[in-house]
C-alpha cells in the first residue's frame, strides 16, 4: 500500500528542479556534437523512405528514436537549433525520470526518501551525461522508471505499455523485467507474468531482426574497469542501504535495477561483449533509490556533510561533461581541422569509413570523397559504400594531395608524405602529398 504522503507531488520538486537546471546548463556544449549524435542528426534528416531503407540495413535498434527525431525536424521551423532539437527531448525525459524516481521512493519509504532519491538521480554523472545527448537512452530510462511505478501500483496494462515503448526505443530495456521480478508479491505473479510475457513477445521481433545487424556492435570490448567500478559502487550503495534500515521492498527494487540488468550483460561477455553503461542507464534509478534511503536516515549534520563532499567531488565532472572535450570526439573540431588543412578540390579519405559521419556538419564541403562508391543516402547505409581497396589505392596514386580523416595513426600508405597533421579531440586530420609530385603537392610552408 502507498505510504502516507505518497499522494503529494511536493517531494518531487527538488529532484525535478535540479534535473531541469542541470539539463539546461551548457546543453549546447559549445556548439559541438559527438559521433553518435552526428549519426542521429544525419539519419533523422533523411527523407522518410530513405530512413526506412536504412533501418533494413543497420541501426534498427534505434529506429523508433530516429523516427521521433525525424518528426521533430519536420514540425519545427527550419531555423531551429539542431543541437536543441536533438537534446531537449533527453533533458525533458530526465526531468520526468527524476519525478518518477521520487515517486518510487515516496511509495516505498516515504517523502524524505523520495525527495533524496530524486536529487541523487539528477546529479549522478551518467544521468547528467545522457540528459544532454541526442540519443534515446534518457527517454528509455524515463519509460522504465514509470513502468516500475505502474508495476508497484498494479496497473498491468500501463506497465506493459510503458515497458514495451522503452523496448521499442532500445531492446535492452526488456532486462528491467528481471529486476522487477523480485519485488512482485506472490499473489500478483500471474498478472505480472502475463504483462512481462507480452513485453517479451512484443520485443522479440525487433531483437531477432537486430541480431542480423550484430556486426554493428563489434566495437564493444570486454567489460572494462569503468563497468566494474559501476558494479562495485552499486553493490556498495546496496549494502549501505540495507545497513541504514531501508525498507526491504525498496532494497530489493533498488538492488535489482542497479545490478541485475548490468550483471546479465556482463555475464554475456564471454559469448559476446554487450555491456555498455548507457544500455542500462535505468540502473541509475535503482542506485538513487538506495542512496536516497540511506541519506534520509542520516542526521541533518551528517546529510549536510555528505552533500558538501558530493558537490565538491561531482562539480569537476559536471563541468567537464559540458565542454567540447566531454565526449569521445568533437565533430565540430574535426570539421574545423579539415577546413584548415584542405583547399577546394582536394581528395579526402576516411579511415576507417565509419568516420565519414564526421562530415555531416559540412566540414568536407568542396572536397572529393574518393573512397566512396555510393553515398550513405543513396546506398541506404550509415556510412556509405566504399570502393574496393585496389580501386581506392589506384585513385589515391592519381591524387597530388589527400586529406585523411580518421583515428590517430591512420596513414594512406607508402608513396605519401605528411604535410600537416592536426589532432582535434578524438581524431586526426592529416594532409598528405604524393611523393614525386612537383612541390610535393604541398602549399608553401606545409612541408618540413
Amino acid at each position: 500500500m502507498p505510504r502516507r504522503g505518497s499522494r503529494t507531488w511536493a517531494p518531487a520538486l527538488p529532484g525535478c528542479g535540479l534535473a531541469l537546471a542541470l539539463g539546461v546548463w551548457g546543453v549546447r556544449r559549445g556548439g559541438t556534437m559527438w559521433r553518435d549524435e552526428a549519426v542521429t542528426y544525419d539519419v533523422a534528416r533523411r527523407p522518410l523512405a530513405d530512413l526506412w531503407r536504412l533501418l533494413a540495413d543497420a541501426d534498427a535498434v534505434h529506429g523508433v528514436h530516429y523516427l521521433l527525431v525525424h518528426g521533430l525536424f519536420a514540425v519545427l521551423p527550419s531555423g531551429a537549433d539542431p543541437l536543441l532539437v536533438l537534446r531537449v527531448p533527453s533533458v525533458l525525459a530526465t526531468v520526468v525520470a527524476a519525478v518518477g524516481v521520487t515517486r518510487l521512493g515516496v511509495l516505498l519509504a516515504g517523502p524524505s526518501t523520495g525527495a533524496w532519491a530524486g536529487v541523487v538521480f539528477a546529479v549522478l554523472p551518467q544521468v547528467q551525461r545522457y540528459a544532454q545527448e541526442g540519443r534515446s537512452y534518457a527517454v528509455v530510462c524515463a519509460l522504465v522508471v514509470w513502468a516500475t511505478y505502474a508495476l508497484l501500483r498494479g496497473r498491468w496494462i500501463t506497465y506493459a505499455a510503458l515497458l514495451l515503448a522503452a523496448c521499442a526505443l532500445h531492446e535492452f530495456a526488456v532486462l528491467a523485467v528481471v529486476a522487477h521480478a523480485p519485488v512482485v508479491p506472490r499473489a500478483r505473479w500471474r498478472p505480472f507474468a502475463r504483462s512481462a510475457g507480452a513485453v517479451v513477445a512484443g520485443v522479440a521481433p525487433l531483437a531477432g531482426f537486430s541480431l542480423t545487424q550484430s556486426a554493428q556492435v563489434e566495437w564493444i570490448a570486454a567489460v572494462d574497469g569503468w563497468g566494474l567500478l559501476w558494479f562495485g559502487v552499486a553493490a556498495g550503495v546496496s549494502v549501505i542501504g540495507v545497513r541504514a534500515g531501508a525498507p526491504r521492498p525498496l532494497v530489493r527494487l533498488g538492488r535489482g535495477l542497479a545490478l541485475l540488468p548490468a550483471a546479465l550483460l556482463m555475464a554475456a561477455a564471454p559469448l559476446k561483449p554487450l555491456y555498455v553503461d548507457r544500455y542500462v542507464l535505468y540502473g541509475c534509478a535503482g542506485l538513487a533509490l538506495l542512496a536516497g534511503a540511506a541519506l534520509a536516515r542520516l542526521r541533518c549534520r551528517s546529510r549536510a556533510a555528505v552533500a558538501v563532499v558530493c558537490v565538491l567531488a561531482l562539480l569537476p565532472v559536471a563541468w567537464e561533461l559540458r565542454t567540447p572535450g566531454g565526449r569521445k570526439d568533437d565533430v565540430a573540431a574535426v570539421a574545423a581541422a579539415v577546413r584548415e588543412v584542405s583547399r577546394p578540390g582536394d581528395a579526402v579519405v576516411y579511415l576507417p569509413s565509419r568516420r565519414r559521419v564526421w562530415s555531416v556538419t559540412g566540414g568536407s564541403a568542396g572536397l572529393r570523397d574518393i573512397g566512396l562508391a555510393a553515398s550513405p543516402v543513396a546506398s541506404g547505409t550509415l556510412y556509405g559504400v566504399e570502393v574496393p581497396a585496389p580501386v581506392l589505392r589506384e585513385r589515391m596514386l592519381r591524387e597530388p594531395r589527400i586529406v585523411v580523416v580518421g583515428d590517430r595513426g591512420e596513414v594512406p600508405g607508402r608513396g605519401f608524405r605528411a604535410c600537416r597533421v592536426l589532432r582535434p579531440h578524438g581524431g586526426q586530420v592529416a594532409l598528405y602529398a604524393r611523393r614525386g609530385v612537383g612541390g610535393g603537392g604541398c602549399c608553401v610552408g606545409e612541408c618540413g
Side-chain angles (χ1 to χ4, degrees), residues 18-301:
L18 190 57
L20 181 59
L22 291 173
V24 172
W25 172 35
V27 67
R28 297 190 75 257
R29 293 204 306 274
T32 66
M33 66 175 72
W34 77 293
R35 67 185 70 157
D36 279 13
E37 290 182 299
V39 170
T40 302
Y41 176 69
D42 175 48
V43 173
R45 292 184 308 122
R46 296 186 188 186
L48 197 57
D50 292 324
L51 199 164
W52 276 111
R53 192 156 61 99
L54 165 70
L55 298 181
D57 175 78
D59 254 9
V61 68
H62 297 298
V64 173
H65 183 246
Y66 292 150
L67 290 168
L68 292 174
V69 180
H70 176 89
L72 287 177
F73 277 115
V75 301
L76 292 175
S78 58
D81 186 337
L83 293 176
L84 296 182
V85 175
L86 290 173
R87 294 173 186 160
V88 166
S90 293
V91 173
L92 297 179
T94 302
V95 173
V96 171
V99 174
V101 170
T102 300
R103 297 292 289 167
L104 286 171
V106 172
L107 186 66
L108 294 170
S112 180
T113 293
W116 279 107
V119 168
V120 171
F121 177 80
V123 302
L124 287 174
Q126 286 170 297
V127 172
Q128 291 191 56
R129 170 174 179 161
Y130 296 109
Q132 295 187 332
E133 286 202 1
R135 300 294 273 178
S136 65
Y137 307 110
V139 181
V140 171
C141 181
L143 288 168
V144 170
V145 166
W146 281 98
T148 305
Y149 184 78
L151 168 79
L152 296 183
R153 298 302 298 267
R155 297 170 181 169
W156 303 109
I157 294 177
T158 303
Y159 169 71
L162 290 173
L163 195 53
L164 190 56
C167 292
L169 285 163
H170 198 282
E171 61 198 46
F172 284 164
V174 74
L175 299 177
V177 170
V178 180
H180 291 154
V183 300
V184 178
R186 184 176 299 179
R188 293 186 172 184
W189 258 96
R190 183 170 294 178
F192 169 70
R194 285 198 297 264
S195 299
V199 171
V200 172
V203 77
L206 174 61
F209 185 70
S210 66
L211 285 175
T212 66
Q213 302 175 352
S214 61
Q216 285 188 260
V217 293
E218 292 296 335
W219 59 270
I220 301 178
V223 181
D224 59 13
W226 287 108
L228 295 175
L229 176 62
W230 159 256
F231 200 83
V233 168
V237 173
S238 174
V239 172
I240 293 172
V242 172
R243 294 196 172 183
R248 190 169 297 177
L250 183 144
V251 172
R252 284 200 298 265
L253 177 62
R255 190 161 48 196
L257 285 172
L259 298 176
L260 289 180
L264 288 172
L265 291 181
M266 290 179 183
L271 299 175
K272 186 171 184 62
L274 290 172
Y275 175 76
V276 182
D277 62 350
R278 57 184 177 267
Y279 292 173
V280 287
L281 181 65
Y282 51 86
C284 291
L287 184 65
L289 286 170
L290 293 166
L295 286 168
R297 282 155 181 77
L298 292 176
R299 295 181 178 179
C300 290
R301 288 184 179 179

Side-chain angles (χ1 to χ4, degrees), residues 358-410:
W358 284 340
S359 67
V360 300
T361 58
S364 301
L367 305 185
R368 294 176 295 107
D369 190 343
I370 61 174
L372 197 61
S375 71
V377 174
S379 61
T381 61
L382 283 176
Y383 311 116
V385 176
E386 293 279 294
V387 299
V391 174
L392 176 58
R393 178 64 178 170
E394 181 182 345
R395 290 181 178 181
M396 291 169 65
L397 290 174
R398 293 200 298 262
E399 299 292 336
R401 294 161 50 97
I402 300 175
V403 178
V404 177
V405 183
D407 298 331
R408 297 187 178 186
E410 299 283 358

